[in-house]
Amino acid sequence: MQGKLQLAFITSFAVLLRCCIIYHSHSGEGKPPMYGDYEAQRHWQEITLNLPLDKWYINTTDNDLQYWGLDYPPLTAYHSLLLGHVANRIDPSFVKLRESRGFENAAHKYFMRLTVLIADIFIYLPAIIYFIINSRFWDSWQFGESNIFKFTRRDIAVLTALIYPGLILIDHGHFQYNCVSLGFFVAAVAVVLQDSFVIGSILFVLALNYKQMELYHALPFFFYILGRHTPSKTRSWFHCIRTLIYISFAVLLTFYVIWMPFLKSRDLFFSTVLRLFPFSRGVFEDKVANIWCAINVVYKLRQIFTNEQLAKICLIMTTCAVLPSCVSLCLSPTKNAFILSLINSALAFFLFSFQVHEKSILLIAAPVLLHFHNDPLPCFWFLIISHFSMLPLFIKDNLYLAYIGTIIFYFYSVFWIWPDLFYNDGTNSLLNKDKSKLKGVLLLSIISQFVKPPERYPDLFPLLVSIYSCGHFLIFFIYFNYIQLFVFRKENAASKIKSH
Amino acid sequence: MSTEEKHISTEAQVKQDGKDVFSSSSSSSVLWRPNNVLLKTFLLITCIKILLIPTYRSTDFEVHRNWLAITYSLPVAEWYVNAQSPWTLDYPPLFAWFEYCLSQVAAFFDPEMLKVENLNYASSATIYFQRGTVILADLIFAYGVREMSRTFCKSLNNHIVFVFLSLCNIGLLIVDHVHFQYNGFLLGILLISMANVSKTGKEMTVCAVHNGAMWFSILLNLKHLYVYVAPAYIVWLLKSHCLNSGKFFRRLFSLGLIVLTVLAVSFGPFRTQLPQVISRLFPFKRGLVHSYWAANGWALYIGAEKVLSVIWKHLGWLKDVKSAVMTGGLVQEQNFLILPTPTPIVTFLLTFVTMLPALWCLLCKKPYMNSKAFIRCIVLCALSSFMFGWHVHEKAILTAIISLCVLAALHAEDARIFIILSSAGQTALLPLLYPDNLSSLKLLLSLAYMLSSILILTNHHGKPLLRLHEWLYVIPLPLVTVYEVVLHKLLLGDKLPFLPLAFTSIYCAIGITYCWMLYYYMYLQNDARANERTAEDKSNRQRLKDKQF
């Protein structure tokens, strides 16, 4: 009873924090003609509600793909359809075909905000809580006598994960439904770690079919499941192959069910798939904290290479970056290595792949949240930097106030509830323990908003932010790879020797 | 897996032998210093307040903007005369001076907001400025909490519980940072004066008491509604400061001098137009209850009247069919058809009479000679005035809730009252935030605070605090809000529009009345309990002496 009360409080507080954000402006509020992601989501409701299914991904007179055409997989479209029906019942003018473009009013905003909130409450929050409740903690430590809530370490881990500001601000401020795909993803990780591979892979397929960016996580899933099913002394051939067949059957079936309406004709299928992977949009947009954007400062990539050449370079680099972590995972598939490999693979994709958004950093933040209790300081640092790396986006969306409020709140609350954060790490030899390093974040946060950039370089501050974050992400990439490849393997070897 | 865990834990132990431990343990002891806790909690709650800046603002925002304009651009003589906006200045002069100081700063942000003719002006600079002043003024509240904690909290845990309950108080958050008022600042001054006045015993210094008295009279000159707790102050100061010292007249005289000086400073500039100022401060034309009934005794009274009138109508005893609708939104006087109509005099008498027993005990009985009884008496005075006062606002309950916080951190019995009172009182505040898009926010605010206060106080006192019937009352409170916000519309549509609000205030009024009666009972019982305790103490001491010999 007691433990549940704490969890109930933490959950209600997490939802409360989300509720505080929803009154801030959303992306593209009052900015015609294109508006922003908020309008995109509304537009998809309009399209899916009013057009037949085979016209969703195809350019027609009613469906101008240049104006926020649907570019997410079918599950997003189904979700939009569902919300479109609800919107239509509340007020048909929300989703009227063509006439509702750029529709904005208070009631509609509240409706849209509630849809995200509900998705968050029913998918992301339970997934995180389920994951952390089922993960192992090496003591039932409480943080001192002054713990008036009687939180256990587990409660604190839940709290830390649920109040991560990046996701909250993107979903409930900027407006997107990342909580759905990330929620499925976290649930999939949790279930796979419980050794129910079939259900786990179904959940992951759902995540993948909500946002194709979940491909960042696909390789570790594949290699972990493969690694767990390579025959050895304790595992028989027959057992492994049988489970693998089950898994692949489940994956194929889920894919088939979701894509069934689009498999009617070849053209339909290919045009849909092409919408999901828009190669023509270039190597990056705006300012992203990845390698290409950083290199671009001194070496104008897009003038030297064609899009196709760039795509090939990206592919090669990404493969090279992902490989060590995945191979190591396949050879020693432990639970910690799995989560670390998820981080590494997603970071590799973020840093080196083609067509990256600044919001994709959330795909790395999610596994980092799951890893938090094993290695608090670097994870904490990463999370702060990841939130910071989206600062230019928040300033564009008029969310600066929310950004400042949440980042200070997160910093101090985590710093407070993990008192051993800055002192008791065994493994962070690569990282400087000095918290004053984070002063750069503070300084850049303040000048980005209040200092006018010099006229010759109007994009100076966003660029500084992205380069600063990119440097950190590179260091984190090396660090997490190092941890996975050397520290955890060594520990595993040691424990194996002991147990024999 | 288990070996891996062991490995990590041994590693941690190895670390603990090294230097790291020293730094961690010393730094954690630094971390837990009381002021640090206070500062951090304040910082965190300030972040939440910042997040709430773009939410809905009530007309009180315009009221205060208008006051800024009046005090900035008009000469002092016209402050209480100007009636260009319907929201005339109706707080005492010191508050006007406070607005005057703010307006000097406001001029740097947006001079347009300081023009009297700019009615309903709300540029984004104005919003940030006004919200910012409320957030900054809460520093006074934090200071008050610190002073109270220094006087009353002996252990660190008490301190943390008290800091959390008061600084993170959701009622205050709703009224100040969403609805828009300066209650945090005013309650901070109340806390400062309470802390100073209750420094009794050996610590009791004349200076501290004078300080406290000065702060209280400043408070009265900022918002005169706090006059309801003045009887407790008068009795307490008479008893502990004047009567006990043997220098009765000298001390009484110095206290009187302080109060009169503050009064003179505040009202001095307006001495020629006193009747005008007074008429602004005490508008008796308003009705018995506010447009939305505060959850007090009169809500129950009107509720009973409604039920009776329906019964009377069925029985055909009622001649005049027009039944008065009392939640019409306009502040006006009502007529009662069946029960006698209360007049202002009756309500004041009733308020005073219900305060009397508490004051009498404080004045005359020996067990009440401690500062905790004084705080209890303040809570009781605030509750009595809330229960029976004329035209009480629902926000007035905050005075009782905030004063009770410190006791809730100290005694289990007070904590029990606190849980019921704060849950019911804050649920009654929620209809203030009436726009539809705030419904999820207000539901979660009240839910989170209820859960956390139950969690903290139960942990802190180490036993379940509420009885079964009290649980049965408290647990459905969020459902009342759900009914008010969503269910009523779904079930009944547009029929009976006053029902959700009336139901909320009556349901909450039941809880608050229960708290008032129970707390009064406990307060009066204190006498007997204290006697027993002293007897026990004596016998214990006797036994100790026997042993020694």
Side-chain angles (χ1 to χ4, degrees), chain A residues 458-479:
Chain A
D459 279 343
L460 178 67
F461 294 133
L463 197 66
L464 279 180
V465 170
S466 65
I467 291 176
Y468 184 88
S469 323
C470 177
H472 275 90
F473 292 150
L474 258 184
I475 296 171
F476 281 119
F477 180 65
I478 297 166
Y479 171 75

Side-chain angles (χ1 to χ4, degrees), chain A residues 23-24 110 136 149 336 423, chain B residues 4-5 20 51 437 439 459:
Chain A
Y23 303 99
H24 290 258
Y110 188 54
R136 288 163 166 272
F149 287 99
N336 278 326
Y423 308 101
Chain B
E4 190 179 331
E5 284 158 27
D20 269 14
L51 293 181
N437 64 0
S439 40
N459 282 339

Side-chain angles (χ1 to χ4, degrees), chain A residues 39-283:
Chain A
E39 168 63 11
Q41 298 287 349
R42 194 210 56 72
H43 181 67
W44 296 344
Q45 292 173 13
E46 172 197 334
I47 292 294
T48 49
L49 181 71
N50 291 305
L51 297 184
L53 198 142
D54 47 356
K55 296 277 188 295
W56 286 356
Y57 289 94
I58 291 169
N59 205 5
T60 57
T61 47
D62 283 332
N63 186 11
D64 176 12
L65 287 184
Q66 289 305 308
Y67 184 80
W68 298 117
L70 197 51
D71 54 3
Y72 281 129
L75 212 53
T76 299
Y78 300 147
H79 186 208
S80 293
L81 179 64
L82 178 72
L83 297 179
H85 277 293
V86 179
N88 198 28
R89 286 204 55 176
I90 294 174
D91 183 354
S93 64
F94 286 178
V95 283
K96 209 159 207 174
L97 189 59
R98 278 189 280 190
E99 284 169 30
S100 60
R101 281 200 183 176
F103 187 92
E104 276 176 9
N105 71 20
H108 184 245
K109 182 172 172 183
Y110 188 54
F111 161 72
M112 294 291 273
R113 295 294 204 197
L114 271 190
T115 60
V116 188
L117 203 60
I118 288 169
D120 211 343
I121 293 172
F122 284 102
I123 299 179
Y124 181 72
L125 300 192
I128 288 276
I129 292 172
Y130 179 76
F131 176 87
I132 292 180
I133 282 188
N134 286 313
S135 56
R136 288 163 166 272
F137 284 84
W138 44 273
D139 60 1
S140 57
W141 157 95
Q142 298 188 345
F143 72 101
E145 47 159 353
S146 317
N147 179 359
I148 53 172
F149 287 99
K150 288 231 164 65
F151 282 154
T152 58
R153 203 177 174 97
R154 188 164 294 185
D155 295 327
I156 288 173
V158 173
L159 183 65
T160 316
L162 290 189
I163 63 174
Y164 168 62
L167 182 64
I168 297 180
L169 224 57
I170 289 293
D171 274 11
H172 301 271
H174 174 84
F175 203 88
Q176 276 192 344
Y177 292 91
N178 291 303
C179 51
V180 179
S181 56
L182 290 180
F184 281 133
F185 160 70
V186 171
V189 175
V191 172
V192 164
L193 288 185
Q194 303 283 307
D195 289 349
S196 7
F197 295 101
V198 175
I199 299 175
S201 33
I202 291 177
L203 281 169
F204 184 69
V205 172
L206 289 181
L208 194 58
N209 275 300
Y210 196 89
K211 286 207 166 176
Q212 67 271 38
M213 262 93 85
E214 282 294 332
L215 276 176
Y216 287 16
H217 296 136
L219 287 177
F221 265 94
F222 178 75
F223 283 108
Y224 180 66
I225 293 175
L226 196 68
R228 286 299 299 270
H229 293 95
T230 40
S232 69
K233 282 176 204 159
T234 50
R235 287 184 289 251
S236 72
W237 272 95
F238 174 69
H239 175 79
C240 290
I241 292 197
R242 195 184 58 181
T243 321
L244 281 179
I245 287 174
Y246 281 161
I247 293 169
S248 40
F249 187 68
V251 168
L252 287 177
L253 190 69
T254 320
F255 259 109
Y256 177 73
V257 169
I258 291 171
W259 282 82
M260 198 161 52
F262 299 94
L263 296 175
K264 280 182 203 156
S265 73
R266 241 181 113 87
D267 285 348
L268 182 62
F269 177 72
F270 280 112
S271 60
T272 309
V273 171
L274 268 184
R275 285 293 304 161
L276 304 186
F277 300 101
F279 277 100
S280 54
R281 279 167 78 173
V283 66

Side-chain angles (χ1 to χ4, degrees), chain B residues 232-259:
Chain B
Y233 266 88
I234 295 171
V235 167
W236 171 252
L237 287 177
L238 271 182
K239 169 87 177 178
S240 72
H241 187 60
C242 304
L243 277 177
N244 276 5
S245 64
K247 296 177 249 174
F248 181 74
F249 286 105
R250 222 177 104 193
R251 292 199 161 179
L252 190 66
F253 178 74
S254 57
L255 281 180
L257 195 69
I258 290 171
V259 174

Side-chain angles (χ1 to χ4, degrees), chain B residues 273-449:
Chain B
Q273 34 173 282
L274 274 184
Q276 167 71 16
V277 176
I278 301 289
S279 75
R280 282 282 175 85
L281 296 189
F282 299 98
F284 275 104
K285 298 249 165 62
R286 295 179 176 180
L288 171 67
V289 287
H290 199 50
S291 50
Y292 156 64
W293 315 340
N296 63 4
W298 299 121
L300 293 179
Y301 190 75
I302 299 173
E305 153 87 18
K306 287 274 175 196
V307 172
L308 283 180
S309 70
V310 170
I311 296 172
W312 256 235
K313 215 188 266 177
H314 271 281
L315 295 172
W317 295 350
L318 204 64
K319 293 280 181 303
D320 191 9
V321 195
K322 275 187 287 172
S323 68
V325 177
M326 283 174 221
T327 44
L330 281 173
V331 181
Q332 61 193 6
E333 291 182 49
Q334 294 98 14
N335 299 316
F336 285 77
L337 299 171
I338 295 149
L339 297 173
T341 308
T343 58
I345 304 294
V346 171
T347 63
F348 281 119
L349 278 179
L350 200 56
T351 312
F352 192 64
V353 167
T354 48
M355 282 179 189
L356 265 184
L359 298 174
W360 176 254
C361 285
L362 190 64
L363 183 65
C364 296
K365 296 205 173 162
K366 209 161 181 225
Y368 293 87
M369 249 319 285
N370 61 48
S371 45
K372 281 170 197 162
F374 164 59
I375 307 285
R376 287 199 182 103
C377 189
I378 285 187
V379 174
L380 281 174
C381 283
L383 273 179
S384 300
S385 65
F386 180 79
M387 287 296 296
F388 299 113
W390 181 261
H391 194 82
V392 176
H393 281 240
E394 56 287 334
K395 301 148 212 157
I397 193 69
L398 287 177
T399 317
I401 295 178
I402 297 289
S403 323
L404 193 55
C405 282
V406 67
L407 294 174
L410 298 178
H411 300 289
E413 287 295 289
D414 297 279
R416 172 181 165 205
I417 298 288
F418 179 83
I419 290 176
I420 309 171
L421 185 69
S422 69
S423 315
Q426 283 160 5
T427 308
L429 284 177
L430 296 178
L432 276 180
L433 315 181
Y434 66 87
D436 281 337
N437 64 0
L438 290 170
S439 40
S440 55
L441 179 73
K442 62 185 183 186
L443 189 64
L444 280 161
L445 279 173
S446 75
L447 196 65
Y449 191 73

